[in-house]
Amino acid sequence: MSILDAKIPEGTLEQKWTKFRSSVPLVNPANKRNLEVIVVGSGLAGASAAASLAELGYKVKVFCFQDSPRRAHSIAAQGGINAAKNYQNDGDSVYRLFYDTIKGGDYRSREANVYRLAEVSSGIIDQCVAQGVPFAREYGGMLSNRSFGGTQVQRTFYAAGQTGQQLLLGAYSALERQIGMGAVKMYSRHEMLETVTIDGKCRGIIARDLTTGKLERHFGHAVLLCTGGYGNVFYLSTNAMGSNVTAAWKAHKKGAHFANPCFTQIHPTCIPVSGDHQSKLTLMSESLRNDGRIWVPKKAGDTRKPIDIPEEERDYYLERRYPAFGNLVPRDVASRAAKERCDAGFGVGNSKMAVYLDFAFNMDRYGHIEASKKGLDNPDAHTIRELGKGVVKEKYGNLFDMYQQITGENPYETPMRIYPAVHYTMGGLWVDYNLMTTVPGLYALGEANFSDHGANRLGASALMQGLADGYFVIPYTIGSYLSKEISTKSIDTNHEAFSEAEKAVQEKLNKFLAIKGTKSVDYFHKKLGKIMWDECGMARTEAGLKKSIDDVRALQKEFWSDVIVPGSADEFNPELEKAGRVIDFLELGELMCIDALDRNESCGGHFREEFQTEEGEALRDDEKYAYVAAWEFKAQNQFELHKEELKYENIKIAQRSYK
Amino acid sequence: MSGNMNLTLKVWRQKNKNAEGKLVNYQVKDISPDMSFLEMIDVLNEQLIVKGDEPIAFDHDCREGICGMCSLYINGRPHGPKDRITTCQLHMRSFEDGQTITIEPWRAASFPIVKDLAVDRSAFDRIIASGGYVSVNTGNAQDANSLPIGKEDADLSFAAAACIGCGACVAACKNASAMLFVSAKVSQLALLPQGQPERYLRVHNMVAKMDEEGFGNCTNTGACEAECPKGISLSNIARMNRDFFVAGIASDN
Ligand SMILES: Cc1cc2nc3c(=O)[nH]c(=O)nc-3n(C[C@H](O)[C@H](O)[C@H](O)COP(=O)(O)OP(=O)(O)OC[C@H]3O[C@@H](n4cnc5c(N)ncnc54)[C@H](O)[C@@H]3O)c2cc1C
Ligand code: SF4
Ligand code: FES
């Protein structure tokens, strides 16, 4: 086991980034023109990085598997993006955002990175507004804010329930501008299937043109993986159908350590599973918890309609257990509390695996305010409710419509039914302060890296991190590597390292097609998802994890002997794409269980039943586990643990309390 | 959970861009009304795959109406029989047991078929690359609140920005015009102070690119607005036409 060097700059917390920026070696404009950078992924992280690097003068190639860079999964983010602007004058600051993020992450992230994130957050909002991102505004023309879980200030910027779309369209427009100017070459419907290493440095990728099936070789002086999270290892998640771990996993197998793979975020407010046919789960944004109150009946097995259950017979369990934060506790806490109530028999709906998210109280509160604005004397209850509905519609209309579309129920009339679902992965490729992985020249940005969120991410912080990485971090940190590469000429892709990598990819594709077994790729994906959800989901145990490692390995074997993939490799073949992604999930799933088993503590989203306080809260073990677990791939089914000790020099590490 | 609907599907199958395509009949059984339309196709595909047949190719990703990737022409309407939703938001409760459903790809010369139901919409990206942005490099921006924007303009701009780039407007239009899509982007930026410096140049370049990509003319039939899942308003086209007119005068000088 070795010690990992995070390359954290010297100086006080407040000085580190400023000093770094002022002293990092620069690349002069003439040399930039000769340096080629490959960006895999066009989500917030990838699009912002690619546009910013091209603006600086680098030659950039961008890859995404969708038909357009604008469709990256970032588009689906609903609720908002944090920034320490303190526009509301409610006591926010860079330090407070930093502190909330470290605490929210249950003290499992790196201080220096998180502080930098908080520092650059403000510039992100400025940049996006300048691009024309239509954030929500007040009547006076100023930007509007709302609250998200785990904080007591209003620092979340939003664009109705489609913040991700608006931010991504901003980054995409910046990217398209560079494409139009010839500074970026875009490869849509292309999937990266291998990294290429030459003399210990990452020098390019093998990509498959998904329309024709042709394999292509691409050289880069540096490669940036901005390929998103791996929540779909659980099959059902709020992620888009195509979200996958393949790029990160291929890099892992070529030497990049994978950090904290078991840190998964289960989001408390999603539409519950309705049947076996289900292909994905839909998030109901956390912002709804600003105005929705969560409850279950006080009586187990109560089958009355929610509106028939009187106030005194409802258990607003989050408000009861966590009076200081109430419905706005962080996600891990809210999810576990929902599971606890449902497991104890208080769940609602047909499956009894759901709780209510009820807007009636706040609709009436808003209704009263509106009525008094309009000067209505003694408005009746109906008028008040209608006025309140209008306010709620303005804030969350598209989410309410989405809910009604999926469930067939009208959430303006009856509370939403919600249940936790897999949403985000804090784990990912290990990176140092420069966002470089353990392979020189290979970087990871956005959700694909193990990130700044420790063991639990706060709402509205992923968009912030993705854009921070892309707009404001990588343009500086990449200089410290590329400044030493100015005399490296472009490497011809006939180089044997490229040929070998391409050959390996081709052989694997052929192998999938040759098995001609009896079970579809989805069969394996669903089976894996069930193992992961049952044993490596919201609650984990030593015995369960041990069993699941065996189960996942058995499933890998079954895959290689019995999968069926129709069609051929030289055409558009979505089943073949899926096969590659699912086998990578099968390998990752094993590592996630191994990691969860190694971490004999509970922290954030990682809850080991053996380690909890008397009140059922996560019980950390800071003596033994205040480290980042970075796994090295040794051979198939063999991983070695490396640790990065986490040192807290500015924050006093404490048990997390939201009471 | 299986359900009780049995349906006949007529699905467009086409091997690739150059191959000839045709409608092929399939039967699906025990479909639940709670399934989404795409989940119903998943069920059919699963049946095809285990028989070793090629599944039906179609584009989709988010499955919640926001990425704009899904694109099916269902019983003669882009995104199916219900208004203001995308194909992936359509649920089987909107159909009846025993019904026949015809499923085709978007049809437009500028959207060539990739395979079966998947089409190539990269022309939209090229239109954006021709001017659908504000030219502001990273790091150039001033404080976000130094630019107050009235709520009304902000809301109108947002409404235009809600376009998901799905292309249903083009598929719905008998001329395969892309005016609604282009005008949505032009309007979003024209309504904001940030968009002013390049306002007329932008509309000029984007319209030129749209024509070059082979999209048809707008004859004001309004089919695009009726089929747009995001309710993008025809008034954006009017706004774009005004700006285009001004741009024309400006370039004549
Ligand atoms: C429903 C939902 C709502 C959310 N809401 C919020 C919110 O309100 N606030 C917030 O802060 N966060 C939110 N999140 C989280 C946030 O959206 C994501 O963490 C973030 O957008 C990830 O961005 P990214 O750029 O890292 O990756 P992505 O946006 O996932 O982009 C990945 C890119 O990589 C490409 N790619 C992947 N693999 C390959 C490959 N092998 N070859 C080629 N290309 C590849 C894809 O094509 C894509 O372009 C939400 C997440 C979900 C699921
Ligand atoms: S205008 Fe409407 S129909 Fe056309 S691309 Fe945009 S969202 Fe789709
Ligand atoms: S799949 Fe994303 S909009 Fe339909």
Side-chain angles (χ1 to χ4, degrees):
Chain A
M1 199 182 69
S2 67
I3 302 295
L4 290 164
D5 179 8
K7 303 212 174 74
I8 297 167
E10 294 298 314
T12 64
L13 190 62
E14 295 79 11
Q15 291 168 346
K16 286 181 196 294
W17 179 234
T18 315
K19 272 191 160 167
F20 177 93
R21 280 197 305 166
S22 325
S23 53
V24 65
L26 301 175
V27 180
N28 89 33
N31 285 329
K32 282 193 184 116
R33 282 196 290 275
N34 300 322
L35 290 169
E36 299 174 43
V37 181
I38 287 178
V39 179
V40 187
S42 64
L44 287 178
S48 60
S52 305
L53 293 173
E55 285 160 13
L56 288 173
Y58 294 109
K59 272 168 80 175
V60 180
K61 286 180 174 177
V62 179
F63 296 78
C64 75
F65 64 75
Q66 290 91 347
D67 71 330
S68 160
R70 67 178 288 154
R71 306 203 203 283
H73 171 55
S74 294
I75 200 98
Q78 301 171 350
I81 175 166
N82 288 331
K85 279 282 195 190
N86 194 30
Y87 281 163
Q88 305 306 323
N89 198 28
D90 56 359
D92 203 5
S93 64
V94 167
Y95 185 84
R96 207 181 280 279
L97 174 53
F98 157 71
Y99 176 83
D100 285 347
T101 307
I102 296 266
K103 176 185 171 194
D106 218 356
Y107 307 94
R108 289 292 174 265
S109 45
R110 209 185 270 155
E111 278 191 342
N113 284 53
V114 177
Y115 196 84
R116 174 178 67 188
L117 174 65
E119 271 182 293
V120 304
S121 65
S122 186
I124 297 173
I125 303 302
D126 300 339
Q127 185 63 31
C128 295
V129 166
Q131 290 168 343
V133 169
F135 284 118
R137 289 180 183 265
E138 306 293 347
Y139 281 95
M142 297 301 162
L143 292 162
S144 176
N145 289 113
R146 59 189 176 200
S147 299
F148 257 59
T151 67
Q152 290 174 315
V153 294
Q154 293 197 309
R155 64 160 74 100
T156 306
F157 295 79
Y158 64 99
Q162 41 179 276
T163 315
Q165 183 190 13
Q166 296 312 330
L167 293 175
L168 183 60
L169 292 183
Y172 159 80
S173 70
L175 172 64
E176 288 296 337
R177 174 171 163 245
Q178 295 303 316
I179 295 171
M181 301 197 312
V184 172
K185 188 146 171 38
M186 184 70 219
Y187 296 83
S188 296
R189 288 204 204 266
H190 274 67
E191 182 167 33
M192 180 213 115
L193 290 175
E194 196 57 279
T195 58
V196 178
T197 316
I198 299 175
D199 298 332
K201 291 178 177 171
C202 184
R203 291 301 190 194
I205 63 168
I206 303 296
R208 180 164 177 266
D209 178 337
L210 300 180
T211 308
T212 61
K214 227 175 102 48
L215 296 182
E216 299 173 356
R217 307 170 183 189
H218 296 274
F219 163 80
H221 288 88
V223 174
L224 276 46
L225 299 186
C226 312
T227 47
Y230 52 85
N232 278 345
V233 66
F234 290 88
Y235 185 69
L236 287 182
S237 87
T238 62
N239 290 9
M241 300 297 286
S243 297
N244 69 88
V245 76
T246 289
W249 195 251
K250 299 298 187 205
H252 173 57
K253 292 178 86 169
K254 284 279 187 83
H257 293 4
F258 208 106
N260 298 334
C262 82
F263 285 174
T264 323
Q265 177 160 83
I266 316 277
H267 195 294
T269 55
C270 303
I271 302 179
V273 176
S274 79
D276 299 337
H277 57 263
Q278 196 109 9
S279 58
K280 73 155 283 176
L281 294 170
T282 302
L283 175 74
M284 286 288 106
S285 165
E286 176 164 328
S287 58
L288 293 172
R289 285 198 272 148
N290 274 297
D291 289 315
R293 297 174 70 199
I294 295 180
W295 62 277
V296 291
K298 277 189 179 156
K299 201 170 80 199
D302 195 330
T303 53
R304 284 176 291 175
K305 281 205 218 128
I307 42 169
D308 295 336
I309 301 180
E311 207 42 44
E312 59 282 4
E313 291 178 45
R314 300 175 174 192
D315 177 14
Y316 293 90
Y317 59 86
L318 288 177
E319 296 169 27
R320 166 168 64 76
R321 288 178 67 179
Y322 307 101
F325 282 71
N327 291 297
L328 285 174
V329 291
R331 293 173 175 175
D332 53 338
V333 177
S335 290
R336 269 199 295 281
K339 178 175 178 346
E340 188 278 329
R341 283 293 79 190
C342 294
D343 289 350
F346 295 90
V348 301
N350 285 338
S351 65
K352 301 286 170 215
M353 290 307 270
V355 300
Y356 291 126
L357 177 63
D358 194 340
F359 298 89
F361 177 85
N362 281 303
M363 281 199 275
D364 288 344
R365 187 170 63 84
Y366 287 126
H368 277 290
I369 297 171
E370 290 303 299
S372 86
K373 275 194 211 158
K374 288 191 162 43
L376 298 178
D377 289 331
N378 290 325
D380 57 25
H382 177 76
T383 310
I384 289 173
R385 181 57 70 86
E386 288 306 310
L387 288 169
K389 271 184 201 167
V391 176
V392 165
K393 192 175 168 110
E394 159 116 349
K395 287 177 129 174
Y396 314 110
N398 69 322
L399 299 173
F400 276 52
D401 293 348
M402 208 190 264
Y403 182 86
Q404 182 157 11
Q405 247 343 295
I406 291 171
T407 62
E409 288 172 10
N410 178 353
Y412 293 100
E413 304 297 337
T414 181
M416 288 183 178
R417 282 175 298 107
I418 52 155
Y419 196 69
V422 174
H423 179 61
Y424 181 87
T425 48
M426 283 75 70
L429 293 176
W430 184 89
V431 290
D432 63 15
Y433 190 75
N434 295 322
L435 305 182
M436 199 195 279
T437 67
T438 47
V439 176
L442 180 66
Y443 292 79
L445 282 66
E447 196 174 337
N449 69 27
F450 85 104
S451 82
D452 304 340
H453 311 292
N456 173 59
R457 176 173 70 77
L458 291 181
S461 286
L463 302 183
M464 169 173 73
Q465 182 226 331
L467 289 179
D469 287 359
Y471 284 135
F472 296 115
V473 178
I474 199 72
Y476 292 93
T477 60
I478 205 168
S480 77
Y481 179 75
L482 290 181
S483 58
K484 295 185 214 98
E485 294 290 330
I486 48 176
S487 47
T488 308
K489 296 265 173 310
S490 294
I491 298 174
D492 186 344
T493 54
N494 288 319
H495 188 287
E496 61 175 7
F498 277 97
S499 322
E500 275 164 25
E502 185 187 308
K503 192 163 151 256
V505 171
Q506 189 65 56
E507 280 170 3
K508 192 143 188 192
L509 293 171
N510 294 346
K511 201 166 151 193
F512 292 134
L513 293 163
I515 299 168
K516 297 200 192 312
T518 63
K519 305 211 171 70
S520 69
V521 173
D522 274 354
Y523 164 90
F524 293 97
H525 198 178
K526 285 182 188 171
K527 234 174 143 175
L528 172 67
K530 180 151 170 37
I531 299 172
M532 297 303 291
W533 178 247
D534 288 348
E535 305 299 349
C536 199
M538 260 194 287
R540 303 155 175 192
T541 62
E542 183 181 340
L545 289 165
K546 283 186 170 153
K547 182 173 168 313
S548 60
I549 293 171
D550 293 339
D551 291 349
V552 173
R553 286 183 181 156
L555 199 58
Q556 293 168 0
K557 282 217 180 79
E558 192 186 343
F559 179 95
W560 283 120
S561 63
D562 201 19
V563 76
I564 177 165
V565 181
S568 68
D570 55 3
E571 61 173 339
F572 186 62
N573 188 344
E575 269 311 287
L576 183 59
E577 294 162 30
K578 249 188 339 194
R581 294 171 192 167
V582 169
I583 189 60
D584 291 339
F585 278 139
L586 277 160
E587 296 184 10
L588 165 76
E590 176 188 346
L591 181 61
M592 288 171 72
C593 297
I594 292 174
D595 185 46
L597 184 62
D598 172 74
R599 198 169 272 280
N600 287 309
E601 64 162 352
S602 293
C603 58
H606 169 63
F607 193 74
R608 284 278 301 272
E609 287 185 358
E610 305 93 318
F611 308 101
Q612 50 181 307
T613 65
E614 271 171 24
E615 294 101 36
E617 306 294 344
L619 187 62
R620 286 197 328 262
D621 181 347
D622 297 326
E623 286 275 297
K624 295 208 191 95
Y625 293 97
Y627 62 71
V628 177
W631 297 89
E632 180 185 356
F633 180 86
K634 302 296 272 187
Q636 213 59 36
N637 307 104
Q638 231 178 302
F639 306 91
E640 184 182 315
L641 176 64
H642 302 269
K643 296 177 184 174
E644 180 199 337
E645 292 310 323
L646 292 168
K647 293 193 206 71
Y648 290 91
E649 290 163 348
N650 298 277
I651 280 188
K652 209 169 117 358
I653 187 162
Q655 201 211 325
R656 218 158 49 124
S657 168
Y658 292 95
K659 294 195 195 292
Chain B
M1 186 185 66
S2 56
N4 45 16
M5 296 171 76
N6 296 330
L7 304 154
T8 303
L9 306 181
K10 290 181 179 302
V11 184
W12 187 261
R13 303 297 314 252
Q14 180 171 335
K15 185 101 181 127
N16 56 44
K17 185 166 88 180
N18 304 317
E20 249 184 73
K22 63 170 192 292
L23 283 170
V24 178
N25 285 1
Y26 298 96
Q27 304 293 326
V28 285
K29 293 203 178 65
D30 303 329
I31 295 298
S32 155
D34 286 333
M35 274 185 199
S36 73
F37 191 81
L38 296 183
E39 284 166 352
M40 183 272 298
I41 301 184
D42 291 343
V43 169
L44 170 58
N45 274 346
E46 176 74 25
Q47 290 167 16
L48 295 175
I49 291 163
V50 293
K51 280 196 291 180
D53 290 346
E54 281 204 43
I56 297 158
F58 61 97
D59 275 326
H60 64 109
D61 198 20
C62 74
R63 293 210 178 182
E64 55 186 59
I66 196 74
C67 73
M69 189 128 175
C70 62
S71 50
L72 303 184
Y73 203 78
I74 303 164
N75 282 346
R77 289 187 65 183
H79 294 307
K82 294 194 72 177
D83 292 343
R84 296 283 168 274
I85 59 168
T86 54
T87 297
C88 61
Q89 291 177 294
L90 182 62
H91 279 67
M92 295 314 293
R93 64 179 84 90
S94 301
F95 297 88
E96 272 155 35
D97 184 29
Q99 201 175 336
T100 297
I101 307 174
T102 307
I103 312 173
E104 291 172 90
W106 280 180
R107 303 256 185 221
S110 307
F111 290 164
I113 289 178
V114 173
K115 181 173 182 174
D116 297 340
L117 303 170
V119 300
D120 176 357
R121 286 166 286 189
S122 53
F124 272 11
D125 291 327
R126 291 189 291 274
I127 293 175
I128 298 294
S130 73
Y133 46 73
V134 172
S135 296
V136 51
N137 284 0
T138 305
N140 274 346
Q142 55 181 346
D143 183 81
N145 256 353
S146 62
L147 206 65
I149 300 172
K151 192 167 180 332
E152 205 170 304
D153 278 344
D155 287 351
L156 276 176
S157 170
F158 174 78
C163 163
I164 56 174
C166 63
C169 45
V170 175
C173 175
K174 64 179 169 44
N175 310 320
S177 164
M179 286 289 270
L180 196 62
F181 166 78
V182 178
S183 71
K185 184 48 77 182
V186 164
S187 289
Q188 175 201 341
L189 298 176
L191 284 157
L192 297 174
Q194 303 89 304
Q196 297 314 310
E198 298 165 289
R199 180 170 180 173
Y200 300 107
L201 183 64
R202 176 180 308 117
V203 70
H204 177 84
N205 289 344
M206 290 179 77
V207 169
K209 190 72 190 172
M210 174 179 84
D211 292 342
E212 184 191 320
E213 291 288 345
F215 291 101
N217 290 329
C218 174
T219 51
N220 285 316
T221 62
C224 53
E225 183 190 56
E227 298 297 356
C228 171
K230 297 294 150 181
I232 301 298
S233 161
L234 279 179
S235 62
N236 290 307
I237 297 186
R239 184 178 297 108
M240 176 163 90
N241 282 336
R242 285 195 299 273
D243 277 11
F244 186 71
F245 182 69
V246 177
I249 294 173
S251 66
D252 287 347
N253 289 334

